[in-house]
Amino acid sequence: MTQPPGPPYQPSFGPPPTPYSAPPSAYASPPYAYVPPPPPTAAWQPERVDQVTGTGFGLVHLQVAPLTSGAAIGSLVAGIGAILVSIAVLCFGLSGAEEGWGGWIAGAFVLLSVMACAGAVSLGVFARRQIARPAAPGRVRFTGRGLSTAGIACGITGAALSLVALGLGLALQLS
């Protein structure tokens, strides 16, 4: 009642399966054979090697590549946002001066610009402290001092421009 085996199933896509073969000779080496470590790459450079006392093993401390501080990037983004909002303050203050609503809308945007300035300055100061902190071995080092300085400068500039634009808009509205 049994049927003779037919040809093996062949899928209609892809190459045919390869038959099972013996493992490569590298796997056939005796257990606990010495395997040399992989060559160091740019991402994995050893910083120092400490020997574990009483054993033949060592502890390798790897160099950690420096990263750009996220707080510095956030400071610059908030500072640029403060400058962009100050442009909106100028536009609303000048366009609404004749109708009488320019000062109100410009004042609301000044508040937004000052809040963006506060965020830019606080993130910039935090980033500068984070960057200035010495990195322990095996810890992340941060970069981006220029970004944090630019963020602080843009935030202060944006708040100052928005206050000047608000004053100009109110002067036009009251005259």
Side-chain angles (χ1 to χ4, degrees):
M1 284 284 207
T2 62
Q3 297 179 353
Y9 172 74
Q10 295 292 330
S12 61
F13 56 89
T18 57
Y20 178 76
S21 62
S25 62
Y27 294 122
S29 63
Y32 306 112
Y34 174 75
V35 178
T41 62
W44 300 101
Q45 292 289 329
E47 188 171 334
R48 70 172 201 254
V49 178
D50 295 336
Q51 183 176 359
V52 179
T53 55
T55 66
F57 297 103
L59 180 64
V60 177
H61 296 272
L62 299 175
Q63 290 179 353
V64 180
L67 297 174
T68 303
S69 173
I73 295 170
S75 171
L76 183 61
V77 168
I80 291 172
I83 289 176
L84 292 176
V85 171
S86 71
I87 293 171
V89 169
L90 181 66
C91 291
F92 284 123
L94 294 180
S95 65
E98 300 231 353
E99 289 84 23
W101 54 265
W104 288 98
I105 302 299
F109 277 98
V110 165
L111 181 63
L112 181 65
S113 179
V114 168
M115 287 177 15
C117 169
V121 170
S122 62
L123 279 174
V125 169
F126 175 75
R128 291 182 80 163
R129 288 181 182 170
Q130 185 182 41
I131 292 164
R133 189 178 318 138
R139 297 286 178 127
V140 176
R141 293 180 306 269
F142 290 104
T143 60
R145 185 173 175 85
L147 290 174
S148 63
T149 303
I152 292 170
C154 286
I156 292 171
T157 303
L161 285 175
S162 65
L163 289 172
V164 167
L166 176 65
L168 181 64
L170 288 176
L172 286 175
Q173 185 174 343
L174 296 176
S175 64

